[in-house]
Amino acid sequence: MGVSTIDGTLEEAVLRRAVGKIRIYDRLKFRLADGSEKSIAKSIVDGDVGAALVPGTSGRFYLFTAFDHRGLHGIRDSQGNCVFGYPRNNEKALLILAILGFALVAVAILVYGGISLLGLGVMILGIVGYILTRKTRAEATAQFEADNAYRPGGTTIAAQA
């Protein structure tokens, strides 16, 4: 789990499907500055960031890897435009899972006088998954905000001054 960046040009973006505000890509292929290629398979991207994923776009691309998926959370292109969006679908789903697990445990205690092991397992899975996913989103946000001085070509505002 963590965050990273790619400086280069997007050569190919193969969209598998769009569901709500989420875009799922089979493959994102980048050409790096040294001429090498890097591909990222099965990427989850927020719709705002997905709209900016046009082949030929060059700049810095911000990546994340969560415990259950990976994808792109931001772009700063060579034209000076930037877009950020972290896909929160799994974070919300895991929070709902934790609440449902808690509800199962509560119902089991009230109705049967004992704890539901299924409910307890679902609640723990939901809580741990939510915490890990939220941590990755916080890292992604911090990474993008900390790189605010980035300018195309690998320079920063301070280096230009």
Side-chain angles (χ1 to χ4, degrees), residues 95-115:
L95 182 60
I96 291 168
L97 196 65
I99 292 167
L100 288 175
F102 178 77
L104 275 172
V105 169
V107 167
I109 289 173
L110 292 174
V111 174
Y112 301 110
I115 293 178

Side-chain angles (χ1 to χ4, degrees), residues 33-69:
D34 64 4
S36 64
E37 292 182 353
K38 179 166 176 106
S39 291
I40 297 151
K42 298 179 184 171
S43 297
I44 308 291
V45 179
D46 182 75
D48 295 337
V49 176
L53 282 176
V54 178
T57 302
S58 62
R60 180 167 285 177
F61 300 86
Y62 298 85
L63 309 167
F64 70 90
T65 302
F67 80 100
D68 60 342
H69 64 287

Side-chain angles (χ1 to χ4, degrees), residues 126-140:
I127 290 170
V128 170
Y130 175 77
I131 290 169
L132 291 174
T133 304
R134 185 172 165 87
K135 180 179 179 269
T136 303
R137 180 172 55 92
E139 287 175 13

Side-chain angles (χ1 to χ4, degrees), residues 149 155-161:
T155 60
T156 61
I157 292 173
Q160 292 176 350

Side-chain angles (χ1 to χ4, degrees), residues 7-27:
D7 290 325
T9 302
L10 179 66
E11 288 194 329
E12 185 178 30
V14 181
L15 181 65
R16 176 184 286 177
R17 69 177 185 230
V19 181
K21 253 195 106 176
I22 301 297
R23 307 290 179 260
I24 302 168
Y25 288 88
D26 275 333
R27 182 178 58 257

Side-chain angles (χ1 to χ4, degrees), residues 69-130:
H69 64 287
R70 66 177 161 240
L72 215 81
H73 65 84
I75 301 170
R76 292 186 195 276
D77 69 16
S78 59
Q79 307 300 316
N81 302 315
C82 65
V83 62
F84 174 84
Y86 188 88
R88 297 183 62 185
N89 54 329
N90 285 10
E91 186 177 336
K92 292 174 186 175
L94 288 165
L95 182 60
I96 291 168
L97 196 65
I99 292 167
L100 288 175
F102 178 77
L104 275 172
V105 169
V107 167
I109 289 173
L110 292 174
V111 174
Y112 301 110
I115 293 178
S116 164
L117 293 179
L118 174 64
L120 187 63
V122 166
M123 184 175 69
I124 290 170
L125 175 68
I127 290 170
V128 170
Y130 175 77

